[in-house]
Structures are given as structure tokens and as C-alpha cells.
Amino acid sequence: IIKNQDEDVRKNLAENINLSEEIQLQLAQDENCIRKSLAQNLSISEKVQLNLAQDQDEEVRQYLAQNPNICQEVQFKLCNDKDNWVRAYLAQNINISKEIQLQLAQDDIRGFLAKNPNIIEEVQLQLVEENDESIIESLAENKNISKITQLELAKNKESQVKEILALNPNICQEVQ
């Protein structure tokens, strides 16, 4: 099947979670639409992940950044990617490590991190201190922010932040 001329056949193969590493590595050298499908595969090996993390096509790296099963080393590589969208997609990945979150909290794309439902409290509290209202508003929308973060957001001078926080379905009683 891997030698089939039909891209759709190889694309479907790339999405198969039961591929051997050998086949994954071959697909990692295929057309970019095949590599994008492979990057989304939840079962790709670390070797293939590392290969795709260095792909020349930023869209392949963007798809990889969204994969919740990428290893720590790949997260680190993507966290330092030159493409802003790669880092933005990584920031929204629900399984990024604490270390990666802390690094991305210093990045231009930290507004995307504020939307991550698994953002750690330490990073939440860093983002509360931002001067950028859009970042603070994104944080207020996040249904999984901590009680401490909610209390800090409630102190914000901007009524728009309070309006957004008031719509948060998980608002704590102390903030209500």
C-alpha cells in the first residue's frame, strides 16, 4: 500500500495507529499532505516525531504541535520553532509539560496558552499580570482556571474582563 500512487491511500495509511516505525519513516519522506496526516497520528514513534519536528514545511510542524502524544524533546524543539503558528498550536496542546508552558508564557504567542484548558496555575498567575487585555480576556474565558486566578481576574479594572469572567461556567462562589 505504501507504494500506491494514490495519495489518498497513502494518507489513510499515515493515519493508521498500528504502523511499524519503518513504514512511518518512509511516510515521513512522502508528499507534505502525507506528512501532515502522519504528524497527527497519535502513535508515531519518537524517532518519527523528531524527524517531523524538523520538517521544512511549517504546516507539518503545526500539525505535529497539535498532537497530544508528542514527547518532551519534540515539545522543546517545537517550542523554539521560528514559526509563530507552530508555537501557537503547541501552546494549545493539552499535554504540554510544565516546563514548556513556562517557556511559552514568555513568548509572543502566550495568548494562545491562556486558552489551554490544562494551563498550570503558576502560568495562569503570570498571565493575569499581562498588560495585554486580549490575553487576560482569553484567560477569563478558560473554564479550567483556578480559584486564585479567578480572584485575581476579578480585581482587574477592565469591565470587559469581568463580563467574560461572569460568563465562565466554572466561576467560583467567591468571585460570583
Side-chain angles (χ1 to χ4, degrees):
I1 291 179
I2 195 166
K3 295 180 190 223
N4 194 296
Q5 296 300 312
D6 187 344
E7 276 186 5
D8 289 333
V9 171
R10 295 191 319 278
K11 185 175 175 271
N12 287 347
L13 183 63
E15 294 170 5
N16 189 315
I17 60 170
N18 294 315
L19 294 177
S20 69
E21 185 176 65
E22 178 186 341
I23 297 296
Q24 290 177 17
L25 287 166
Q26 288 179 43
L27 291 168
Q29 305 306 315
D30 208 322
E31 303 291 324
N32 70 340
C33 67
I34 309 299
R35 297 192 317 273
K36 285 190 256 185
S37 290
L38 185 62
Q40 296 174 79
N41 187 321
L42 301 178
S43 298
I44 53 175
S45 71
E46 287 187 22
K47 185 174 183 180
V48 174
Q49 290 177 25
L50 288 164
N51 182 310
L52 294 173
Q54 297 173 35
D55 199 286
Q56 290 181 344
D57 185 341
E58 67 274 351
E59 287 186 352
V60 171
R61 299 191 313 274
Q62 290 169 13
Y63 279 101
L64 184 64
Q66 296 173 71
N67 187 326
N69 292 342
I70 54 176
C71 66
Q72 180 72 23
E73 186 177 354
V74 169
Q75 288 181 26
F76 181 75
K77 284 187 181 301
L78 296 175
C79 184
N80 293 296
D81 197 285
K82 64 185 182 298
D83 184 78
N84 285 348
W85 283 109
V86 169
R87 298 190 318 277
Y89 284 120
L90 181 66
Q92 295 175 85
N93 186 319
I94 59 169
N95 288 332
I96 56 173
S97 69
K98 173 184 177 180
E99 295 77 23
I100 298 299
Q101 287 187 35
L102 290 167
Q103 186 172 340
L104 290 172
Q106 307 305 315
D107 195 298
D108 293 343
I109 54 76
R110 60 191 171 276
F112 292 95
L113 184 61
K115 298 175 183 183
N116 188 321
N118 291 339
I119 185 174
I120 61 172
E121 186 175 68
E122 181 179 352
V123 172
Q124 292 174 27
L125 293 172
Q126 282 181 29
L127 297 178
V128 166
E129 301 300 321
E130 285 289 330
N131 291 325
D132 185 333
E133 286 303 310
S134 68
I135 292 173
I136 295 171
E137 289 171 6
S138 291
L139 191 60
E141 286 177 1
N142 189 325
K143 294 174 180 68
N144 293 332
I145 54 174
S146 72
K147 178 179 173 181
I148 295 169
T149 301
Q150 289 181 34
L151 291 166
E152 288 301 313
L153 286 168
K155 295 176 190 174
N156 190 288
K157 295 175 188 136
E158 297 295 323
S159 62
Q160 182 69 19
V161 172
K162 290 178 182 147
E163 287 175 28
I164 293 169
L165 188 58
L167 290 170
N168 191 318
N170 294 330
I171 191 169
C172 66
Q173 284 187 334
E174 292 82 357
V175 173
Q176 294 173 18

